[in-house]
PDB file of all heavy atoms in Angstrom:
ATOM      1  N   LYS A1058      73.766 108.351 104.849  1.00 87.00           N
ATOM      2  CA  LYS A1058      72.682 107.373 105.107  1.00 87.00           C
ATOM      3  C   LYS A1058      73.275 106.017 105.629  1.00 87.00           C
ATOM      4  O   LYS A1058      72.525 105.253 106.234  1.00 87.00           O
ATOM      5  CB  LYS A1058      71.882 107.111 103.830  1.00 87.00           C
ATOM      6  CG  LYS A1058      71.115 108.350 103.366  1.00 87.00           C
ATOM      7  CD  LYS A1058      70.285 108.072 102.152  1.00 87.00           C
ATOM      8  CE  LYS A1058      69.457 109.278 101.743  1.00 87.00           C
ATOM      9  NZ  LYS A1058      68.641 109.030 100.528  1.00 87.00           N
ATOM     10  N   THR A1059      74.535 105.739 105.335  1.00 87.00           N
ATOM     11  CA  THR A1059      75.173 104.527 105.805  1.00 87.00           C
ATOM     12  C   THR A1059      76.626 104.838 106.163  1.00 87.00           C
ATOM     13  O   THR A1059      77.186 105.845 105.712  1.00 87.00           O
ATOM     14  CB  THR A1059      75.117 103.426 104.789  1.00 87.00           C
ATOM     15  OG1 THR A1059      75.921 103.766 103.665  1.00 87.00           O
ATOM     16  CG2 THR A1059      73.697 103.078 104.355  1.00 87.00           C
ATOM     17  N   ILE A1060      77.260 103.953 106.918  1.00 86.00           N
ATOM     18  CA  ILE A1060      78.671 104.101 107.199  1.00 86.00           C
ATOM     19  C   ILE A1060      79.435 103.945 105.878  1.00 86.00           C
ATOM     20  O   ILE A1060      80.476 104.630 105.677  1.00 86.00           O
ATOM     21  CB  ILE A1060      79.110 103.055 108.275  1.00 86.00           C
ATOM     22  CG1 ILE A1060      78.473 103.395 109.603  1.00 86.00           C
ATOM     23  CG2 ILE A1060      80.649 103.043 108.368  1.00 86.00           C
ATOM     24  CD1 ILE A1060      78.810 102.397 110.701  1.00 86.00           C
ATOM     25  N   GLY A1061      78.979 103.071 104.987  1.00 86.00           N
ATOM     26  CA  GLY A1061      79.615 102.904 103.707  1.00 86.00           C
ATOM     27  C   GLY A1061      79.629 104.152 102.885  1.00 86.00           C
ATOM     28  O   GLY A1061      80.631 104.536 102.234  1.00 86.00           O
ATOM     29  N   ASP A1062      78.484 104.886 102.919  1.00 88.00           N
ATOM     30  CA  ASP A1062      78.369 106.165 102.214  1.00 88.00           C
ATOM     31  C   ASP A1062      79.381 107.195 102.773  1.00 88.00           C
ATOM     32  O   ASP A1062      80.018 107.927 102.057  1.00 88.00           O
ATOM     33  CB  ASP A1062      76.909 106.684 102.388  1.00 88.00           C
ATOM     34  CG  ASP A1062      76.674 107.941 101.610  1.00 88.00           C
ATOM     35  OD1 ASP A1062      77.368 108.198 100.596  1.00 88.00           O
ATOM     36  OD2 ASP A1062      75.769 108.744 102.029  1.00 88.00           O
ATOM     37  N   PHE A1063      79.530 107.158 104.105  1.00 87.00           N
ATOM     38  CA  PHE A1063      80.461 108.059 104.728  1.00 87.00           C
ATOM     39  C   PHE A1063      81.874 107.709 104.288  1.00 87.00           C
ATOM     40  O   PHE A1063      82.668 108.599 103.936  1.00 87.00           O
ATOM     41  CB  PHE A1063      80.381 107.939 106.246  1.00 87.00           C
ATOM     42  CG  PHE A1063      81.524 108.530 106.989  1.00 87.00           C
ATOM     43  CD1 PHE A1063      81.622 109.918 107.187  1.00 87.00           C
ATOM     44  CD2 PHE A1063      82.546 107.725 107.516  1.00 87.00           C
ATOM     45  CE1 PHE A1063      82.691 110.458 107.866  1.00 87.00           C
ATOM     46  CE2 PHE A1063      83.621 108.281 108.203  1.00 87.00           C
ATOM     47  CZ  PHE A1063      83.703 109.657 108.360  1.00 87.00           C
ATOM     48  N   LEU A1064      82.244 106.455 104.264  1.00 82.00           N
ATOM     49  CA  LEU A1064      83.628 106.045 103.919  1.00 82.00           C
ATOM     50  C   LEU A1064      83.922 106.397 102.495  1.00 82.00           C
ATOM     51  O   LEU A1064      85.080 106.728 102.147  1.00 82.00           O
ATOM     52  CB  LEU A1064      83.771 104.515 104.142  1.00 82.00           C
ATOM     53  CG  LEU A1064      83.733 104.064 105.620  1.00 82.00           C
ATOM     54  CD1 LEU A1064      83.797 102.576 105.699  1.00 82.00           C
ATOM     55  CD2 LEU A1064      84.897 104.727 106.414  1.00 82.00           C
ATOM     56  N   LEU A1065      82.909 106.385 101.593  1.00 86.00           N
ATOM     57  CA  LEU A1065      83.143 106.766 100.197  1.00 86.00           C
ATOM     58  C   LEU A1065      83.503 108.246 100.065  1.00 86.00           C
ATOM     59  O   LEU A1065      84.156 108.651  99.086  1.00 86.00           O
ATOM     60  CB  LEU A1065      81.910 106.438  99.323  1.00 86.00           C
ATOM     61  CG  LEU A1065      81.651 104.972  99.063  1.00 86.00           C
ATOM     62  CD1 LEU A1065      80.302 104.855  98.329  1.00 86.00           C
ATOM     63  CD2 LEU A1065      82.725 104.369  98.215  1.00 86.00           C
ATOM     64  N   ASN A1066      83.092 109.027 101.013  1.00 84.00           N
ATOM     65  CA  ASN A1066      83.310 110.503 100.999  1.00 84.00           C
ATOM     66  C   ASN A1066      84.335 110.988 101.992  1.00 84.00           C
ATOM     67  O   ASN A1066      84.491 112.173 102.188  1.00 84.00           O
ATOM     68  CB  ASN A1066      82.001 111.240 101.226  1.00 84.00           C
ATOM     69  CG  ASN A1066      80.994 111.007 100.055  1.00 84.00           C
ATOM     70  OD1 ASN A1066      81.029 111.664  99.079  1.00 84.00           O
ATOM     71  ND2 ASN A1066      80.121 110.052 100.289  1.00 84.00           N
ATOM     72  N   ILE A1067      85.054 110.029 102.655  1.00 81.00           N
ATOM     73  CA  ILE A1067      85.893 110.427 103.784  1.00 81.00           C
ATOM     74  C   ILE A1067      87.000 111.410 103.424  1.00 81.00           C
ATOM     75  O   ILE A1067      87.375 112.230 104.224  1.00 81.00           O
ATOM     76  CB  ILE A1067      86.444 109.150 104.444  1.00 81.00           C
ATOM     77  CG1 ILE A1067      86.971 109.411 105.825  1.00 81.00           C
ATOM     78  CG2 ILE A1067      87.499 108.499 103.558  1.00 81.00           C
ATOM     79  CD1 ILE A1067      87.272 108.171 106.643  1.00 81.00           C
ATOM     80  N   ASP A1068      87.490 111.340 102.196  1.00 78.00           N
ATOM     81  CA  ASP A1068      88.586 112.229 101.814  1.00 78.00           C
ATOM     82  C   ASP A1068      88.160 113.662 101.647  1.00 78.00           C
ATOM     83  O   ASP A1068      88.996 114.585 101.633  1.00 78.00           O
ATOM     84  CB  ASP A1068      89.233 111.750 100.523  1.00 78.00           C
ATOM     85  CG  ASP A1068      89.976 110.437 100.708  1.00 78.00           C
ATOM     86  OD1 ASP A1068      90.447 110.187 101.815  1.00 78.00           O
ATOM     87  OD2 ASP A1068      90.060 109.677  99.689  1.00 78.00           O
ATOM     88  N   ASP A1069      86.854 113.922 101.567  1.00 80.00           N
ATOM     89  CA  ASP A1069      86.354 115.252 101.381  1.00 80.00           C
ATOM     90  C   ASP A1069      85.815 115.848 102.699  1.00 80.00           C
ATOM     91  O   ASP A1069      85.185 116.971 102.667  1.00 80.00           O
ATOM     92  CB  ASP A1069      85.212 115.268 100.307  1.00 80.00           C
ATOM     93  CG  ASP A1069      85.722 114.786  98.979  1.00 80.00           C
ATOM     94  OD1 ASP A1069      86.895 115.122  98.592  1.00 80.00           O
ATOM     95  OD2 ASP A1069      85.005 114.060  98.307  1.00 80.00           O
ATOM     96  N   ILE A1070      86.005 115.188 103.775  1.00 82.00           N
ATOM     97  CA  ILE A1070      85.376 115.590 105.055  1.00 82.00           C
ATOM     98  C   ILE A1070      86.329 116.449 105.827  1.00 82.00           C
ATOM     99  O   ILE A1070      87.483 116.062 106.061  1.00 82.00           O
ATOM    100  CB  ILE A1070      84.895 114.356 105.843  1.00 82.00           C
ATOM    101  CG1 ILE A1070      83.755 113.686 105.121  1.00 82.00           C
ATOM    102  CG2 ILE A1070      84.487 114.741 107.244  1.00 82.00           C
ATOM    103  CD1 ILE A1070      83.339 112.396 105.723  1.00 82.00           C
ATOM    104  N   ASP A1071      85.855 117.637 106.286  1.00 80.00           N
ATOM    105  CA  ASP A1071      86.640 118.482 107.136  1.00 80.00           C
ATOM    106  C   ASP A1071      86.486 118.147 108.615  1.00 80.00           C
ATOM    107  O   ASP A1071      85.607 117.312 108.951  1.00 80.00           O
ATOM    108  CB  ASP A1071      86.204 119.942 106.945  1.00 80.00           C
ATOM    109  CG  ASP A1071      86.455 120.453 105.528  1.00 80.00           C
ATOM    110  OD1 ASP A1071      87.510 120.080 104.969  1.00 80.00           O
ATOM    111  OD2 ASP A1071      85.596 121.156 104.986  1.00 80.00           O
ATOM    112  N   ALA A1072      87.266 118.702 109.442  1.00 77.00           N
ATOM    113  CA  ALA A1072      87.179 118.431 110.862  1.00 77.00           C
ATOM    114  C   ALA A1072      85.812 118.831 111.396  1.00 77.00           C
ATOM    115  O   ALA A1072      85.160 119.764 110.942  1.00 77.00           O
ATOM    116  CB  ALA A1072      88.283 119.222 111.611  1.00 77.00           C
ATOM    117  N   GLY A1073      85.352 118.115 112.397  1.00 81.00           N
ATOM    118  CA  GLY A1073      84.039 118.404 112.976  1.00 81.00           C
ATOM    119  C   GLY A1073      83.744 117.433 114.105  1.00 81.00           C
ATOM    120  O   GLY A1073      84.630 116.738 114.603  1.00 81.00           O
ATOM    121  N   ILE A1074      82.493 117.294 114.419  1.00 85.00           N
ATOM    122  CA  ILE A1074      82.044 116.311 115.405  1.00 85.00           C
ATOM    123  C   ILE A1074      81.123 115.331 114.731  1.00 85.00           C
ATOM    124  O   ILE A1074      80.303 115.672 113.879  1.00 85.00           O
ATOM    125  CB  ILE A1074      81.332 117.021 116.602  1.00 85.00           C
ATOM    126  CG1 ILE A1074      81.121 116.051 117.748  1.00 85.00           C
ATOM    127  CG2 ILE A1074      80.055 117.697 116.166  1.00 85.00           C
ATOM    128  CD1 ILE A1074      80.784 116.709 119.037  1.00 85.00           C
ATOM    129  N   PHE A1075      81.306 114.055 115.069  1.00 89.00           N
ATOM    130  CA  PHE A1075      80.572 112.949 114.392  1.00 89.00           C
ATOM    131  C   PHE A1075      79.480 112.413 115.294  1.00 89.00           C
ATOM    132  O   PHE A1075      79.766 112.173 116.492  1.00 89.00           O
ATOM    133  CB  PHE A1075      81.528 111.849 113.984  1.00 89.00           C
ATOM    134  CG  PHE A1075      82.522 112.315 112.923  1.00 89.00           C
ATOM    135  CD1 PHE A1075      83.675 112.964 113.302  1.00 89.00           C
ATOM    136  CD2 PHE A1075      82.301 112.094 111.576  1.00 89.00           C
ATOM    137  CE1 PHE A1075      84.591 113.402 112.361  1.00 89.00           C
ATOM    138  CE2 PHE A1075      83.173 112.548 110.603  1.00 89.00           C
ATOM    139  CZ  PHE A1075      84.354 113.207 111.013  1.00 89.00           C
ATOM    140  N   VAL A1076      78.339 112.213 114.739  1.00 91.00           N
ATOM    141  CA  VAL A1076      77.210 111.599 115.468  1.00 91.00           C
ATOM    142  C   VAL A1076      76.926 110.260 114.813  1.00 91.00           C
ATOM    143  O   VAL A1076      76.499 110.191 113.645  1.00 91.00           O
ATOM    144  CB  VAL A1076      75.960 112.480 115.450  1.00 91.00           C
ATOM    145  CG1 VAL A1076      74.806 111.803 116.167  1.00 91.00           C
ATOM    146  CG2 VAL A1076      76.223 113.830 116.062  1.00 91.00           C
ATOM    147  N   LEU A1077      77.197 109.198 115.489  1.00 92.00           N
ATOM    148  CA  LEU A1077      77.024 107.849 114.933  1.00 92.00           C
ATOM    149  C   LEU A1077      75.754 107.235 115.564  1.00 92.00           C
ATOM    150  O   LEU A1077      75.679 106.983 116.742  1.00 92.00           O
ATOM    151  CB  LEU A1077      78.205 106.950 115.221  1.00 92.00           C
ATOM    152  CG  LEU A1077      78.141 105.512 114.798  1.00 92.00           C
ATOM    153  CD1 LEU A1077      77.947 105.406 113.276  1.00 92.00           C
ATOM    154  CD2 LEU A1077      79.327 104.717 115.262  1.00 92.00           C
ATOM    155  N   ASN A1078      74.740 107.055 114.685  1.00 91.00           N
ATOM    156  CA  ASN A1078      73.467 106.453 115.135  1.00 91.00           C
ATOM    157  C   ASN A1078      73.458 104.976 114.744  1.00 91.00           C
ATOM    158  O   ASN A1078      73.388 104.691 113.532  1.00 91.00           O
ATOM    159  CB  ASN A1078      72.310 107.225 114.490  1.00 91.00           C
ATOM    160  CG  ASN A1078      70.966 106.656 114.947  1.00 91.00           C
ATOM    161  OD1 ASN A1078      69.967 106.817 114.232  1.00 91.00           O
ATOM    162  ND2 ASN A1078      70.894 106.007 116.076  1.00 91.00           N
ATOM    163  N   ILE A1079      73.602 104.082 115.718  1.00 90.00           N
ATOM    164  CA  ILE A1079      73.711 102.696 115.360  1.00 90.00           C
ATOM    165  C   ILE A1079      73.112 101.840 116.501  1.00 90.00           C
ATOM    166  O   ILE A1079      73.183 102.206 117.651  1.00 90.00           O
ATOM    167  CB  ILE A1079      75.198 102.297 115.159  1.00 90.00           C
ATOM    168  CG1 ILE A1079      75.342 100.899 114.601  1.00 90.00           C
ATOM    169  CG2 ILE A1079      75.996 102.475 116.451  1.00 90.00           C
ATOM    170  CD1 ILE A1079      76.746 100.593 114.132  1.00 90.00           C
ATOM    171  N   SER A1080      72.495 100.726 116.155  1.00 89.00           N
ATOM    172  CA  SER A1080      71.974  99.809 117.130  1.00 89.00           C
ATOM    173  C   SER A1080      73.197  99.011 117.699  1.00 89.00           C
ATOM    174  O   SER A1080      74.083  98.589 116.988  1.00 89.00           O
ATOM    175  CB  SER A1080      71.008  98.819 116.451  1.00 89.00           C
ATOM    176  OG  SER A1080      70.688  97.782 117.417  1.00 89.00           O
ATOM    177  N   LEU A1081      73.177  98.874 119.034  1.00 89.00           N
ATOM    178  CA  LEU A1081      74.268  98.147 119.694  1.00 89.00           C
ATOM    179  C   LEU A1081      73.836  96.820 120.234  1.00 89.00           C
ATOM    180  O   LEU A1081      74.422  96.263 121.165  1.00 89.00           O
ATOM    181  CB  LEU A1081      74.814  99.054 120.802  1.00 89.00           C
ATOM    182  CG  LEU A1081      75.477 100.364 120.365  1.00 89.00           C
ATOM    183  CD1 LEU A1081      75.783 101.197 121.563  1.00 89.00           C
ATOM    184  CD2 LEU A1081      76.718 100.110 119.533  1.00 89.00           C
ATOM    185  N   SER A1082      72.748  96.273 119.678  1.00 85.00           N
ATOM    186  CA  SER A1082      72.131  95.044 120.231  1.00 85.00           C
ATOM    187  C   SER A1082      72.932  93.817 119.837  1.00 85.00           C
ATOM    188  O   SER A1082      72.654  92.720 120.367  1.00 85.00           O
ATOM    189  CB  SER A1082      70.697  94.925 119.787  1.00 85.00           C
ATOM    190  OG  SER A1082      70.639  94.926 118.331  1.00 85.00           O
ATOM    191  N   ASN A1083      73.863  93.905 118.892  1.00 85.00           N
ATOM    192  CA  ASN A1083      74.660  92.777 118.514  1.00 85.00           C
ATOM    193  C   ASN A1083      76.124  93.068 118.481  1.00 85.00           C
ATOM    194  O   ASN A1083      76.517  94.220 118.255  1.00 85.00           O
ATOM    195  CB  ASN A1083      74.169  92.180 117.182  1.00 85.00           C
ATOM    196  CG  ASN A1083      74.422  93.131 116.023  1.00 85.00           C
ATOM    197  OD1 ASN A1083      75.566  93.245 115.572  1.00 85.00           O
ATOM    198  ND2 ASN A1083      73.392  93.763 115.494  1.00 85.00           N
ATOM    199  N   PRO A1084      76.991  92.085 118.682  1.00 88.00           N
ATOM    200  CA  PRO A1084      78.428  92.338 118.752  1.00 88.00           C
ATOM    201  C   PRO A1084      79.058  92.871 117.462  1.00 88.00           C
ATOM    202  O   PRO A1084      80.016  93.644 117.504  1.00 88.00           O
ATOM    203  CB  PRO A1084      79.005  90.908 119.059  1.00 88.00           C
ATOM    204  CG  PRO A1084      77.887  90.156 119.715  1.00 88.00           C
ATOM    205  CD  PRO A1084      76.659  90.705 119.029  1.00 88.00           C
ATOM    206  N   THR A1085      78.477  92.549 116.339  1.00 91.00           N
ATOM    207  CA  THR A1085      78.974  93.036 115.038  1.00 91.00           C
ATOM    208  C   THR A1085      78.898  94.546 114.983  1.00 91.00           C
ATOM    209  O   THR A1085      79.847  95.239 114.588  1.00 91.00           O
ATOM    210  CB  THR A1085      78.243  92.382 113.867  1.00 91.00           C
ATOM    211  OG1 THR A1085      78.433  90.976 113.922  1.00 91.00           O
ATOM    212  CG2 THR A1085      78.763  92.899 112.541  1.00 91.00           C
ATOM    213  N   ASN A1086      77.753  95.082 115.312  1.00 91.00           N
ATOM    214  CA  ASN A1086      77.561  96.555 115.282  1.00 91.00           C
ATOM    215  C   ASN A1086      78.441  97.229 116.309  1.00 91.00           C
ATOM    216  O   ASN A1086      78.933  98.346 116.005  1.00 91.00           O
ATOM    217  CB  ASN A1086      76.033  96.934 115.599  1.00 91.00           C
ATOM    218  CG  ASN A1086      75.243  96.752 114.344  1.00 91.00           C
ATOM    219  OD1 ASN A1086      75.657  96.280 113.287  1.00 91.00           O
ATOM    220  ND2 ASN A1086      73.951  97.158 114.432  1.00 91.00           N
ATOM    221  N   LEU A1087      78.656  96.627 117.452  1.00 92.00           N
ATOM    222  CA  LEU A1087      79.563  97.230 118.450  1.00 92.00           C
ATOM    223  C   LEU A1087      80.976  97.272 117.855  1.00 92.00           C
ATOM    224  O   LEU A1087      81.660  98.314 118.043  1.00 92.00           O
ATOM    225  CB  LEU A1087      79.530  96.391 119.748  1.00 92.00           C
ATOM    226  CG  LEU A1087      80.468  96.861 120.844  1.00 92.00           C
ATOM    227  CD1 LEU A1087      80.126  98.270 121.283  1.00 92.00           C
ATOM    228  CD2 LEU A1087      80.364  95.872 122.058  1.00 92.00           C
ATOM    229  N   LYS A1088      81.390  96.229 117.219  1.00 92.00           N
ATOM    230  CA  LYS A1088      82.712  96.214 116.584  1.00 92.00           C
ATOM    231  C   LYS A1088      82.842  97.312 115.505  1.00 92.00           C
ATOM    232  O   LYS A1088      83.833  97.986 115.412  1.00 92.00           O
ATOM    233  CB  LYS A1088      82.983  94.836 115.960  1.00 92.00           C
ATOM    234  CG  LYS A1088      84.362  94.635 115.365  1.00 92.00           C
ATOM    235  CD  LYS A1088      84.571  93.266 114.815  1.00 92.00           C
ATOM    236  CE  LYS A1088      85.960  93.104 114.206  1.00 92.00           C
ATOM    237  NZ  LYS A1088      86.175  91.753 113.696  1.00 92.00           N
ATOM    238  N   ILE A1089      81.747  97.452 114.725  1.00 91.00           N
ATOM    239  CA  ILE A1089      81.745  98.498 113.658  1.00 91.00           C
ATOM    240  C   ILE A1089      81.880  99.877 114.277  1.00 91.00           C
ATOM    241  O   ILE A1089      82.579 100.717 113.805  1.00 91.00           O
ATOM    242  CB  ILE A1089      80.454  98.351 112.823  1.00 91.00           C
ATOM    243  CG1 ILE A1089      80.469  97.116 111.952  1.00 91.00           C
ATOM    244  CG2 ILE A1089      80.261  99.580 111.960  1.00 91.00           C
ATOM    245  CD1 ILE A1089      79.188  96.770 111.263  1.00 91.00           C
ATOM    246  N   ALA A1090      81.135 100.109 115.377  1.00 92.00           N
ATOM    247  CA  ALA A1090      81.154 101.396 116.046  1.00 92.00           C
ATOM    248  C   ALA A1090      82.563 101.707 116.559  1.00 92.00           C
ATOM    249  O   ALA A1090      83.030 102.826 116.404  1.00 92.00           O
ATOM    250  CB  ALA A1090      80.137 101.426 117.163  1.00 92.00           C
ATOM    251  N   LYS A1091      83.230 100.750 117.148  1.00 92.00           N
ATOM    252  CA  LYS A1091      84.563 100.955 117.678  1.00 92.00           C
ATOM    253  C   LYS A1091      85.550 101.261 116.561  1.00 92.00           C
ATOM    254  O   LYS A1091      86.437 102.092 116.686  1.00 92.00           O
ATOM    255  CB  LYS A1091      84.998  99.784 118.523  1.00 92.00           C
ATOM    256  CG  LYS A1091      84.274  99.617 119.850  1.00 92.00           C
ATOM    257  CD  LYS A1091      84.884  98.646 120.810  1.00 92.00           C
ATOM    258  CE  LYS A1091      84.676  97.228 120.351  1.00 92.00           C
ATOM    259  NZ  LYS A1091      85.158  96.294 121.399  1.00 92.00           N
ATOM    260  N   GLN A1092      85.401 100.546 115.455  1.00 90.00           N
ATOM    261  CA  GLN A1092      86.285 100.782 114.293  1.00 90.00           C
ATOM    262  C   GLN A1092      86.068 102.193 113.746  1.00 90.00           C
ATOM    263  O   GLN A1092      87.035 102.869 113.379  1.00 90.00           O
ATOM    264  CB  GLN A1092      85.994  99.748 113.217  1.00 90.00           C
ATOM    265  CG  GLN A1092      86.490  98.341 113.576  1.00 90.00           C
ATOM    266  CD  GLN A1092      86.119  97.281 112.530  1.00 90.00           C
ATOM    267  OE1 GLN A1092      85.113  97.481 111.791  1.00 90.00           O
ATOM    268  NE2 GLN A1092      86.827  96.196 112.514  1.00 90.00           N
TER     269      GLN A1092
END
């Protein structure tokens, strides 16, 4: 549900393809997406 939720579970994630749904209307979100 959030990037934070993903990061909490990152150690249990297997290889795959990631779909990141995020608004890019502000520089902060763009920076988060690149990170």
Side-chain angles (χ1 to χ4, degrees):
K1058 295 182 178 179
T1059 66
I1060 292 177
D1062 185 26
F1063 166 77
L1064 292 175
L1065 288 174
N1066 293 276
I1067 196 168
D1068 291 332
D1069 299 321
I1070 292 175
D1071 296 321
I1074 190 165
F1075 295 84
V1076 178
L1077 177 61
N1078 180 204
I1079 190 169
S1080 171
L1081 297 171
S1082 59
N1083 66 74
T1085 299
N1086 279 6
L1087 178 60
K1088 182 178 180 180
I1089 289 171
K1091 289 192 286 188
Q1092 289 174 337

